[in-house]
Amino acid sequence: MLAPYQIKKDFPILQQPHPSGKPLIYLDSAATTQKPQEVIDTMHHYYEKSNANVHRGIHHLGNRATLTYESTRAKVQTFINAHVSRDIIFTKGTTESVNLVAYGFAAKRLQPGDEIIISAMEHHSNLIPWQMLCKRHQAHLRVIPMQEDGQLDLSQLKQMLNPKTKMLAVVHISNSLGTINPVEEIIEMAHAADVPVLVDAAQSAAYYDIDVQQMDCDFLVFSGHKVFGPTGIGVLYGKEKWLEEMDPWQFGGEMIRSVTFEETTFAEIPQKFEAGTPNIAGAAGLAAAIRYIENIGKADMQQHLQDLLQYATEQLLSINGLHIYGNAPKKSAIISFMLDFAHAHDTATILDSSGIAVRAGHHCTQPVMDFYGIPATARASFSIYNTREDIDVLAEAVENVRMIFVGTL
Ligand code: 7TS
């Protein structure tokens, strides 16, 4: 059993009060997770004791920095059970990882008239790169439709897949609805049609077991800052055969074997995709974040999140005029809601005055909002440092919004 009150103490940022004097309740972990002290300390320690550039210094500090950076690659390999560590590419985040696959891999395979499939609930960063690529190559973007409850309608997928399909990209857990998609089933269907699949694990990597070999995804992407690690570092996993085939997308130092004014030959993977000085301190922080997750254990995390999801759903649904968007049977601890009597931004502003951080807007999933015919939702997203008490405070504060707009309870 996870002890959230104990865990909360690991996160220094959550110890400070809100400017209103009320306790700070952070319910925006889908946007970014807070960082435990050991992640902050590890990054601090890196700059204090080990800072140098990687892969070039023969000196002591250069070796330490390289060891820090490369041992994180090995750490990520075991975190997602990749076959070898060279299948792990460091990027600056999920967005950059998707763009790298779009332009380094899919662009090479795309002919006019070809098709790329995404789903109706993609974050814009797993939508726009594919849309732009399709426009550039006169290809078509096709979309797996969604049902009212926020599940994908996979009955359509089989007939959507055809010899013109060159890529499928799908989100594991929706950041605006919380839906947990059956990615293994999707991958199996896509592979039956010889279509490679990218999985966006931005919302799942922190809490759900990711085994890329078992999942058999061709690419998997996530961001350090959503797994209790720092901003500015992310991961692209790719099957070795695809990474070998893929073109580098950025050029410069670190990614070459030899250079003349006429020709350049590139380094092997993963260096081929990591031009320039990488985010070494970020890598140190990411390794510390993964250690933190491993120490707590994903099974306990999931159990806690499911408990919070169930409790929060009950509490919020007991409020008159509150609607939850996204009611899939398999759902993570993300609740998008709307009040009949208040705009989502007003709701979020009033909640903030009670010390509660929720996000309001389209959550970079505008097509999901269009599907429901709404401009925005308020979104409460929970993590391991949240408690049932946080949810009680949230429910009370939403009742207060009702008081302000409607005048009665
Ligand atoms: N994919 C999903 C499913 C996400 O939730 C996000 C960020 C991204 C991709 C992009 O990640 P980035 O690290 O490259 O920015 N989601 C959110 C969110 O829900 N609120 O702010 C960022």
Side-chain angles (χ1 to χ4, degrees):
M1 251 328 241
L2 192 137
Y5 291 96
Q6 206 57 35
I7 284 177
K8 210 167 200 168
K9 291 190 188 138
D10 294 342
F11 293 79
I13 204 167
L14 300 176
Q15 309 310 316
Q16 62 185 330
H18 184 265
S20 63
K22 297 182 175 144
L24 180 64
I25 297 179
Y26 186 72
L27 301 180
D28 197 15
S29 294
T32 196
T33 54
Q34 295 302 350
K35 319 305 170 201
Q37 187 70 55
E38 54 201 78
V39 168
I40 300 167
D41 288 348
T42 301
M43 294 178 73
H44 185 89
H45 188 263
Y46 166 77
Y47 278 124
E48 217 165 59
K49 302 284 185 202
S50 306
N51 180 54
N53 214 325
V54 289
H55 302 141
R56 17 192 155 189
I58 300 176
H59 52 78
H60 171 65
L61 289 180
N63 289 336
R64 280 180 73 147
T66 304
L67 188 65
T68 300
Y69 187 65
E70 290 304 327
S71 62
T72 301
R73 204 187 300 279
K75 192 93 199 135
V76 173
Q77 177 202 343
T78 53
F79 187 57
I80 60 171
N81 196 30
H83 185 53
V84 284
S85 68
R86 60 179 177 275
D87 294 350
I88 307 297
I89 315 294
F90 288 123
T91 63
K92 72 179 163 70
T94 303
T95 303
E96 189 174 75
S97 298
V98 174
N99 277 279
L100 177 52
V101 176
Y103 287 93
F105 177 75
K108 277 174 89 168
R109 311 177 134 225
L110 215 54
Q111 300 294 327
D114 280 347
E115 298 176 0
I116 290 176
I117 299 178
I118 60 167
S119 89
M121 61 179 79
E122 297 309 316
H123 187 279
H124 294 167
S125 64
N126 199 29
L127 184 167
I128 307 170
W130 306 112
Q131 185 184 61
M132 292 297 138
L133 195 65
C134 285
K135 281 187 196 295
R136 186 183 285 197
H137 292 262
Q138 291 95 49
H140 305 292
L141 189 66
R142 303 199 57 195
V143 182
I144 308 169
M146 197 173 95
Q147 301 167 178
E148 193 64 27
D149 64 358
Q151 290 193 86
L152 290 179
D153 181 0
L154 292 187
S155 66
Q156 311 269 330
L157 179 56
K158 204 164 177 188
Q159 70 215 38
M160 288 170 74
L161 289 156
N162 71 73
K164 287 190 172 302
T165 316
K166 293 295 150 67
M167 186 81 207
L168 188 153
V170 67
V171 69
H172 192 185
I173 294 183
S174 158
N175 68 309
S176 53
L177 300 171
T179 311
I180 304 176
N181 286 319
V183 284
E184 288 190 15
E185 193 186 331
I186 295 171
I187 291 166
E188 212 176 304
M189 287 167 84
H191 283 179
D194 261 341
V195 174
V197 179
L198 176 143
V199 173
D200 173 355
Q203 294 294 343
S204 56
Y207 314 111
Y208 292 83
D209 291 321
I210 307 273
D211 181 333
V212 290
Q213 293 187 68
Q214 192 192 326
M215 199 188 270
D216 201 24
C217 54
D218 298 274
F219 300 97
L220 182 126
V221 298
F222 68 94
S223 298
H225 72 96
K226 291 194 206 284
V227 299
F228 309 106
T231 52
I233 188 155
V235 168
L236 164 63
Y237 156 81
K239 281 183 179 167
E240 200 166 344
K241 61 175 178 180
W242 299 138
L243 294 177
E244 296 286 2
E245 177 190 312
M246 218 162 111
D247 286 334
W249 181 47
Q250 290 188 327
F251 304 91
E254 294 264 331
M255 53 79 70
I256 58 96
R257 183 179 295 143
S258 74
V259 180
T260 68
F261 284 116
E262 289 74 35
E263 273 313 321
T264 295
T265 53
F266 302 127
E268 300 293 324
I269 61 167
Q271 268 76 33
K272 180 168 84 165
F273 300 110
E274 295 180 3
T277 299
N279 186 350
I280 312 162
L286 179 58
I290 293 174
R291 276 194 298 275
Y292 184 79
I293 291 172
E294 286 169 349
N295 284 339
I296 294 178
K298 285 185 170 180
D300 282 356
M301 287 186 177
Q302 280 166 47
Q303 199 186 12
H304 180 62
L305 290 186
Q306 285 306 314
D307 178 64
L308 292 180
L309 174 66
Q310 199 188 336
Y311 186 66
T313 305
E314 284 164 16
Q315 296 302 307
L316 290 174
L317 283 180
S318 70
I319 296 168
N320 244 338
L322 185 145
H323 307 277
I324 291 178
Y325 293 88
N327 296 295
K330 287 198 172 153
K331 198 179 154 178
S332 190
I334 294 174
I335 301 183
S336 261
F337 63 94
M338 270 269 276
L339 302 171
D340 280 346
F341 42 85
H343 191 281
H345 284 98
D346 294 330
T347 305
T349 306
I350 296 167
L351 293 184
D352 180 53
S353 67
S354 301
I356 303 167
V358 298
R359 197 175 178 99
H362 50 63
H363 317 295
C364 297
T365 56
Q366 267 187 22
V368 172
M369 302 296 123
D370 292 346
F371 174 83
Y372 290 112
I374 52 175
T377 67
R379 181 188 69 182
S381 53
F382 304 93
S383 189
I384 50 173
Y385 33 68
N386 292 123
T387 61
R388 280 183 168 222
E389 196 182 24
D390 292 345
I391 293 166
D392 292 338
V393 178
L394 170 70
E396 204 177 304
V398 176
E399 286 287 12
N400 186 37
V401 178
R402 190 181 168 74
M403 276 299 289
I404 291 169
F405 281 88
V406 186
T408 65
L409 279 181

